[in-house]
Amino acid sequence: MALREFWSLSGVLRARAKDLLIVLALAFCALPLQAREYQAEQQRLDKFFPGASLSAAEGDYHVRTISKGDEILGYAFQSINVVDIPAYSGKPINMQVLLDPQGVIVDAYVLEHHEPILLIGIPEAELHAFNAKYQGIRVDQRVVVGRSQDENAVTIDAVTGATVTVMVVNEIVMRAAHDVAVSLGLVEDNGGIAQKPATVREDYYQPATWSDLTGNGAIRRLHLTKGDIDQAFKGTEAEGIDEAAADEVQDTFIDLYATHLNPPSIGRALLGDAHYRTLMDELKPGEHAVAVMASGEYSFKGSGYVRGGIFDRVQLRQFGNVISFRDMDFQRLDDVYADGIPDFSEMAVFIVRQQAAFDPGSPWTLELLVRRQTGPVSGMFTSFELPYQMPEQYIERPQPTAEELAAIEEAKRPLWVNIWYQKSFQIGVILAALGLLTVILFLQDTFTQRPQFLHWLRRGYLVFTVVFIGWYALGQLSVVNVLTFVHALFQDFRWELFLSDPVIFIIWTFTAASILLWGRGVFCGWLCPFGALQELINEAARKLKIPQYELPFVVHERLWAIKYIVLLVLFGISLESMMLAEKAAEVEPFKTAITLKFDRQWWFVAYALFLLVINIFTRKVYCRYVCPLGAALSISSKVRLFDWLKRRPECGSPCQLCAKECEIQAIHPDGHINHNECHYCLDCQMTYHNENKCPPLILKNKRAKRGKKAPAEPSLIPVVQVVEP
């Protein structure tokens, strides 16, 4: 009993030790990735903001402030904390984006991705070169990958072979940057579309009292008590300095009002008609006057502007732009005329100059800076904000043009819809080609009675499949698509993931429909670019009289199992790691030969060329024995509803013509067609309808001519030599 308990306890300890080792191994593997990400972040920050310090992450978007001393240089954030847009792999791309205080992108850098085309294929340097093009772009500009009819849009060329990926990157960068900039007040929330500034309505005037103007928001107020100031400095070096007594906490520190004087209803009410006209005459086009009035013990003007010519206690901020005022931007305001106005201890008019690009229709903020002395020459500042928004009746917003409306509509569309619009030419051509293929398949009995025409039509279609679908539209399906779809069904299924590549989606949809009607052969025989490339090469080899070799049917039949084993291995790997499965899926030469057009490392190219060279002597060896995608389609073709390929009772016994002519050996010696292996080339159907080639049909016609009704003996079937089509 004691021995049994000892072994039980030791087994538990061994299991716990094993679990601990697994956890430690996973943690050890994760450390390099985290270290690499941190190193990449820090390198980008040091490159664009050398010597700057970085604050802790703040807010919903985990934004970190980049500063040097008291000066804010910019902001840093990771896109994963802002937007969650699935890329081509089904997983989001995480990027570090750096912004300056004016809402301009300083840097956009990929920290992590799972894109198969970039993991093994296109060098990541091309993606980084693409991202470098965002430097200097404002977050409220419209950026389009490829061509655009919007003249105001910024266009960026796509990365060949990774168009969908870079379009997702563009969406991630611009949407995340815009959302963060809006949250920081660097830009106005206009949906990422730059809008023209509003103008003040000079023709609109409505007499108004002080109560009217404060009531409709034309005049805004900021009231601070001494207790508010003490609270603002709590926890800083200035805490306790010049603190208010207990009975003074509720006393007014400053009672400040601000307004925009350009609208006649406001300016004439406060300044009077004469003073208002004089002020407006002094302003240049694009300049604006802001009135600031206050009472209390704190002066918003201070005395710094006398010494240095700059007001150091009050400034404006709009879209992240800080507008400071000098003595030349200041006018003394001695009196105001609005009925009901309170008494103020100081009043001023500040002029916003042209270079500030001030928009009167957009929100702006008056910042009041309060300073406390902490040493002989040192002090601390804290700021208080008075937000301002011009009432709509005083401004006129420019009506967007048809092009701007179209751009706004396009910006509001989901990413996958924009991709479909941009690939409309490819979509149209492929839909037309699939329509033609559908006609061929539905009318196959008619087409197969014209073998010469159908042969040339099929060759032309295969050339189209290789050149247009494969090399141009990058419509090569892959087993990775199958694995992604299966995982999405059991995890987080989102249609936009599959709709993000319209060519792939359309071909997959047609393939799924064709499997129900005809089996897997339609895709493998007509729509697979690599399969079409093999078939065309083998066709040329036969024309050049290059010897052809076929395995004995018994061996051939056993080799079918290889592709199913490859599929199971890939699926098992994907359960552990989709990234590893994507790498293992390089057993498919599709990416090398089709997507990247043989522009890869030599070992990938050598593998693809090896398969094509074998194909010269034995037709479509890869498709028949290795292709995991073909295996997946064969499994799904078990739901095939119809049998469109016709056979006769004599097929297989005694006639073996079609079995010998089938170039991928999909017809068994007994005459039946294995639809799991058939590539639907329709050669057997052309023989079936050929009165000069099909032995049972030749015999039937001879009997008809002699008027005989009895069935012929099997020995009477003439021997017909196998002729290559």
Side-chain angles (χ1 to χ4, degrees):
M1 186 69 178
L3 183 61
R4 188 160 52 248
E5 290 179 355
F6 171 77
W7 280 112
S8 176
L9 178 60
S10 64
V12 172
L13 292 175
R14 286 196 303 271
R16 293 292 178 269
K18 181 180 179 181
D19 292 342
L20 180 60
L21 287 174
I22 293 174
V23 171
L24 291 174
L26 290 174
F28 179 77
C29 293
L31 283 175
L33 177 61
Q34 295 173 355
R36 284 196 302 272
E37 286 190 11
Y38 174 78
Q39 185 179 14
E41 291 179 75
Q42 196 61 44
Q43 286 176 348
R44 306 305 291 185
L45 287 167
D46 292 341
K47 177 179 179 180
F48 294 98
F49 300 100
S53 60
L54 201 63
S55 72
E58 299 177 346
D60 295 336
Y61 297 147
H62 302 276
V63 180
R64 295 177 295 173
T65 303
I66 306 168
S67 59
K68 184 178 289 186
D70 295 332
E71 181 185 5
I72 295 178
L73 302 179
Y75 305 91
F77 64 92
Q78 293 188 20
S79 62
I80 197 71
N81 298 319
V82 186
V83 295
D84 182 17
I85 302 175
Y88 192 74
S89 63
K91 299 177 181 178
I93 296 174
N94 188 23
M95 305 188 66
Q96 177 179 261
V97 181
L98 306 180
L99 300 178
D100 70 8
Q102 285 70 47
V104 176
I105 297 174
V106 177
D107 184 44
Y109 188 81
V110 173
L111 297 175
E112 181 184 5
H113 73 83
H114 301 273
E115 297 301 274
I117 194 68
L118 297 169
L119 289 171
I120 303 179
I122 297 173
E124 280 193 346
E126 293 195 26
L127 180 63
H128 294 316
F130 173 84
N131 294 333
K133 298 175 183 177
Y134 287 96
Q135 185 176 354
I137 295 176
R138 281 187 58 86
V139 299
D140 55 2
Q141 288 182 283
R142 180 165 173 257
V143 179
V144 177
V145 177
R147 295 174 298 174
S148 175
Q149 296 180 351
D150 183 5
E151 297 180 354
N152 297 320
V154 178
T155 58
I156 302 177
D157 291 334
V159 175
T160 303
T163 304
V164 173
T165 296
V166 297
M167 291 186 74
V168 173
V169 167
N170 179 60
E171 185 83 357
I172 290 172
V173 172
M174 297 311 299
R175 189 190 296 184
H178 179 264
D179 290 352
V180 169
V182 169
S183 70
L184 296 173
L186 307 183
V187 298
E188 186 180 3
D189 187 5
N190 52 27
I193 300 296
Q195 296 179 349
K196 298 176 182 177
T199 56
V200 174
R201 291 184 59 185
E202 298 179 358
D203 59 341
Y204 179 82
Y205 172 71
Q206 186 72 32
T209 64
W210 179 266
S211 178
D212 296 333
L213 296 175
T214 54
N216 67 9
I219 298 176
R220 302 294 176 100
R221 181 189 185 192
L222 174 65
H223 182 261
L224 297 174
T225 64
K226 293 182 179 180
D228 295 330
I229 306 303
D230 294 339
Q231 186 65 31
F233 284 104
K234 185 165 290 187
T236 69
E237 296 178 9
E239 182 179 1
I241 298 176
D242 296 333
E243 243 183 23
D247 58 344
E248 297 178 343
V249 172
Q250 297 301 321
D251 291 352
T252 296
F253 180 76
I254 188 172
D255 191 10
L256 183 144
Y257 293 82
T259 187
H260 192 158
L261 291 173
N262 287 52
S265 298
I266 304 174
R268 290 172 62 180
L270 293 180
L271 306 178
D273 292 343
H275 191 182
Y276 173 76
R277 284 195 299 270
T278 302
L279 177 62
M280 291 300 107
D281 290 340
E282 294 176 358
L283 296 181
K284 299 176 182 178
E287 294 186 339
H288 299 268
V290 175
V292 181
M293 302 156 283
S295 58
E297 69 175 44
Y298 187 73
S299 168
F300 66 81
K301 290 188 294 186
S303 58
Y305 75 98
V306 176
R307 296 192 304 271
I310 297 177
F311 289 85
D312 60 356
R313 294 188 178 184
V314 64
Q315 63 186 20
L316 264 61
R317 184 185 294 270
Q318 187 180 58
F319 306 145
N321 297 323
V322 176
I323 305 172
S324 300
F325 300 108
R326 295 180 170 272
D327 51 359
M328 64 183 66
D329 305 322
F330 163 73
Q331 291 187 11
R332 188 182 302 277
L333 183 58
D334 296 321
D335 201 0
V336 289
Y337 300 95
D339 293 338
I341 189 171
D343 293 329
F344 294 112
S345 57
E346 62 178 353
M347 298 182 291
V349 174
F350 295 103
I351 308 301
V352 181
R353 300 300 179 183
Q354 292 172 311
Q355 57 267 29
F358 187 79
D359 181 5
S362 298
W364 53 270
T365 301
L366 178 70
E367 294 185 348
L368 179 69
L369 303 177
V370 179
R371 185 176 187 271
R372 276 187 175 178
Q373 196 80 13
T374 57
V377 293
S378 61
M380 289 199 71
F381 279 95
T382 187
S383 65
F384 299 89
E385 297 183 350
L386 172 60
Y388 188 90
Q389 172 67 64
M390 178 80 72
E392 285 296 320
Q393 64 265 31
Y394 299 143
I395 57 176
E396 182 177 4
R397 299 188 183 276
Q399 294 299 316
T401 63
E403 291 78 10
E404 291 171 336
L405 288 174
I408 293 172
E409 181 184 357
E410 181 177 345
K412 292 180 179 179
R413 290 196 300 249
L415 173 61
W416 69 267
V417 176
N418 287 331
I419 295 176
W420 280 64
Y421 271 100
Q422 291 198 13
K423 294 196 173 186
S424 56
F425 170 72
Q426 298 178 12
I427 292 170
V429 173
I430 288 177
L431 288 177
L434 294 179
L436 172 61
L437 180 56
T438 303
V439 171
I440 294 172
L441 295 173
F442 271 100
L443 302 179
Q444 62 186 38
D445 290 340
T446 302
F447 281 96
T448 52
Q449 294 179 36
R450 296 167 176 80
Q452 192 71 15
F453 173 75
L454 183 56
H455 272 305
W456 282 106
L457 178 61
R458 177 169 164 74
R459 290 178 189 132
Y461 205 98
L462 293 178
V463 171
F464 167 81
T465 298
V466 175
V467 176
F468 189 89
I469 295 181
W471 288 336
Y472 177 73
L474 305 179
Q476 173 71 68
L477 302 190
S478 167
V479 71
V480 175
N481 304 128
V482 177
L483 298 177
T484 301
F485 180 76
V486 172
H487 281 267
L489 288 178
F490 295 98
Q491 295 177 0
D492 183 18
F493 184 86
R494 288 186 284 186
W495 274 112
E496 59 266 27
L497 169 61
F498 303 98
L499 290 168
S500 62
D501 192 329
V503 174
I504 296 293
F505 180 81
I506 290 171
I507 294 177
W508 264 121
T509 303
F510 183 87
T511 300
S514 67
I515 286 174
L516 288 174
L517 298 176
W518 298 285
R520 59 84 60 120
V522 173
F523 170 78
C524 295
W526 294 80
L527 294 174
C528 177
F530 187 75
L533 180 62
Q534 291 181 93
E535 192 162 335
L536 290 171
I537 291 175
N538 185 265
E539 189 85 12
R542 290 171 184 265
K543 293 294 182 182
L544 296 173
K545 306 299 182 181
I546 296 177
Q548 300 294 303
Y549 303 94
E550 295 292 349
L551 295 172
F553 191 84
V554 175
V555 178
H556 165 71
E557 190 177 26
R558 298 298 184 270
L559 294 179
W560 284 342
I562 296 176
K563 58 179 173 285
Y564 296 97
I565 295 173
V566 173
L567 175 64
L568 289 175
V569 170
L570 290 176
F571 180 72
I573 294 174
S574 72
L575 296 177
E576 177 64 25
S577 169
M578 192 64 191
M579 185 183 301
L580 290 178
E582 290 164 355
K583 294 181 178 180
E586 284 296 326
V587 69
E588 295 179 327
F590 303 159
K591 191 184 301 179
T592 300
I594 304 301
T595 307
L596 300 176
K597 307 178 187 69
F598 298 99
D599 185 15
R600 294 190 77 182
Q601 294 92 336
W602 69 267
W603 51 89
F604 290 113
V605 175
Y607 172 62
L609 291 177
F610 171 73
L611 295 174
L612 293 176
V613 170
I614 292 179
N615 170 74
I616 293 175
F617 304 98
T618 302
R619 197 179 189 100
K620 301 179 83 168
V621 172
Y622 171 79
C623 298
R624 289 199 265 176
Y625 306 129
V626 183
C627 182
L629 176 61
L633 297 180
S634 295
I635 294 173
S636 60
S637 67
K638 296 296 183 182
V639 298
R640 179 174 54 88
L641 301 178
F642 304 101
D643 190 355
W644 296 68
L645 300 180
K646 296 182 178 180
R647 308 298 286 155
R648 290 192 170 89
E650 297 88 351
C651 294
S653 179
C655 183
Q656 294 286 324
L657 180 59
C658 289
K660 293 178 179 179
E661 283 191 337
C662 182
E663 292 162 351
I664 60 167
Q665 296 177 272
I667 301 178
H668 284 248
D670 63 6
H672 87 272
I673 299 173
N674 186 343
H675 288 278
N676 291 338
E677 304 301 322
C678 175
H679 287 194
Y680 225 86
C681 64
L682 298 177
D683 283 355
C684 63
Q685 298 304 289
M686 286 185 266
T687 300
Y688 179 91
H689 291 288
N690 194 330
E691 296 181 351
N692 300 316
K693 189 175 181 181
C694 177
L697 186 58
I698 292 172
L699 185 59
K700 178 181 178 181
N701 291 337
K702 286 184 177 180
R703 289 201 311 266
K705 289 179 181 179
R706 291 196 293 258
K708 294 183 178 180
K709 303 295 184 180
E713 293 296 328
S715 59
L716 297 179
I717 294 178
V719 177
V720 179
Q721 184 179 0
V722 176
V723 180
E724 295 292 341

